[in-house]
Amino acid sequence: DVKVTQSSRYLVKRTGEKVFLECVQDMDHENMFWYRQDPGLGLRLIYFSYDVKMKEKGDIPEGYSVSREKKERFSLILESASTNQTSMYLCASRGPGVFEQPQHFGDGTRLSIL
Amino acid sequence: GDSVTQMEGPVTLSEEAFLTINCTYTATGYPSLFWYVQYPGEGLQLLLKATKADDKGSNKGFEATYRKETTSFHLEKGSVQVSDSAVYFCALSGAGGSEKLVFGKGTKLTVNP
């Protein structure tokens, strides 16, 4: 089974801090994704990456950046955290190429910005 | 643009009742369709998938059939259990060649003993 591991289940940070959320997958997947999940808004794609050092903006990239230095690791960075970034963050990975491959999700990081 | 519409929740059923959660989609091309489930405090797990018209996905007693003529992918289970209480998400990918997984907003199911 694919395992996607997010470094923290719960995280509390302060406004203005630089925040790193880490995600690691163990299946050598090319594609990795970051979503945020908010009540009433569902899941929204922030960024995705289809290879090392490659990234693409999703639907809501503002205020975020990403890093993919190694194939198994995809980091989400909040450059200067704000209270409206309080949310559940979900990382996912997917195998090569074809769209019928499902995405596999981690358990999520619940981030609170105070 | 591409979109997924699921029935609004919450849905509350008694154990052993029949479950249907409706899902319809709007997409270009021929997307793949998925149902994901999210148990309290956890991430999303793939429940089932279908990749072409008339395919039926099934898992753990749940079923859904890819209906191109009605652009639907309704989730059904004949007899729900308390352990099925969760949020269910319908999703599509590959529409118009896009990498994106487009989700519905989720339907919360509560099953009472």
Side-chain angles (χ1 to χ4, degrees), chain B residues 34-51:
Chain B
F34 306 89
W35 276 100
Y36 283 86
V37 58
Q38 185 176 33
Y39 298 102
E42 298 184 12
L44 275 70
Q45 299 176 25
L46 177 69
L47 182 59
L48 54 84
K49 68 175 187 178
T51 58

Side-chain angles (χ1 to χ4, degrees), chain B:
Chain B
D2 304 320
S3 66
V4 174
T5 303
Q6 315 182 206
M7 61 187 286
E8 297 273 335
V11 174
T12 303
L13 296 173
S14 298
E15 208 165 21
E16 298 184 5
F18 185 86
L19 168 71
T20 300
I21 300 178
N22 290 336
C23 171
T24 57
Y25 67 90
T26 302
T28 54
Y30 303 96
S32 296
L33 301 174
F34 306 89
W35 276 100
Y36 283 86
V37 58
Q38 185 176 33
Y39 298 102
E42 298 184 12
L44 275 70
Q45 299 176 25
L46 177 69
L47 182 59
L48 54 84
K49 68 175 187 178
T51 58
K52 60 184 188 296
D54 300 325
D55 265 4
K56 178 187 279 189
S58 62
N59 186 24
K60 300 181 182 179
F62 291 89
E63 292 183 341
T65 301
Y66 189 149
R67 299 284 188 204
K68 194 168 189 310
E69 64 277 10
T70 54
T71 62
S72 64
F73 193 53
H74 305 320
L75 182 68
E76 296 182 336
K77 187 176 186 183
S79 176
V80 293
Q81 306 300 312
V82 172
S83 57
D84 293 327
S85 297
V87 181
Y88 292 81
F89 292 91
C90 184
L92 65 85
S93 74
S98 170
E99 288 281 350
K100 285 175 56 174
L101 192 59
V102 178
F103 287 92
K105 294 200 172 166
T107 303
K108 184 175 182 180
L109 170 67
T110 301
V111 180
N112 295 318

Side-chain angles (χ1 to χ4, degrees), chain A residues 8-75:
Chain A
S8 305
R9 291 297 299 273
Y10 301 94
L11 207 52
V12 180
K13 296 292 183 180
R14 296 206 172 274
T15 303
E17 280 192 65
K18 190 168 186 176
V19 180
F20 292 85
L21 303 184
E22 306 287 345
C23 175
V24 176
Q25 49 93 5
D26 67 354
M27 284 301 292
D28 204 35
H29 284 169
E30 284 80 2
N31 303 288
M32 296 187 75
F33 305 81
W34 275 107
Y35 296 86
R36 62 178 284 177
Q37 182 180 18
D38 299 289
L41 297 176
L43 283 92
R44 294 178 291 168
L45 181 64
I46 305 171
Y47 267 98
F48 68 97
S49 169
Y50 52 88
D51 203 350
V52 174
K53 296 192 187 296
M54 307 303 287
K55 62 184 179 184
E56 293 279 348
K57 293 180 179 179
D59 297 319
I60 52 162
E62 297 78 18
Y64 303 94
S65 62
V66 290
S67 173
R68 185 120 181 249
E69 297 296 319
K70 293 185 178 181
K71 194 174 187 180
E72 67 270 19
R73 186 180 297 270
F74 191 35
S75 303

